[in-house]
Amino acid sequence: MIIKKLHEAGLRSEHAYLAAVGSIGLSLSSWLASSRRENLERADRWGIFVGEWAPTFFALGLALANYERDETAQPDA
């Protein structure tokens, strides 16, 4: 039901996949920036916090891709 609503709102699987890849890059850059300004433990926490978004976005992209596939496989009524 949530996936259907997200799809109807215009979110596509490609958007979720791009968000996942972007969060990986953001994780690396936030870790690098934080490690230069703060202690290493805090930098690790920032990198891990942002890095945990990627699996969620990949799972959302997979769910949307499955919904899109099923939607195109059903004949119009």
Side-chain angles (χ1 to χ4, degrees), residues 3-70:
I3 299 301
K4 181 180 179 183
K5 292 290 184 189
L6 289 172
H7 185 64
E8 290 171 355
L11 187 66
R12 300 293 180 258
S13 59
E14 294 86 15
H15 300 140
Y17 292 141
L18 286 173
V21 171
S23 73
I24 293 169
L26 183 62
S27 174
L28 179 62
S29 60
S30 70
W31 179 80
L32 286 171
S34 184
S35 69
R36 291 183 182 142
R37 295 181 182 201
E38 301 175 18
N39 60 14
L40 187 59
E41 292 83 18
R42 188 166 172 105
D44 287 344
R45 281 188 233 125
W46 270 114
I48 290 170
F49 172 71
V50 177
E52 287 178 350
W53 301 347
T56 304
F57 286 130
F58 277 123
L60 187 59
L62 183 60
L64 284 165
N66 287 336
Y67 180 82
E68 293 163 2
R69 184 194 66 224
D70 293 344

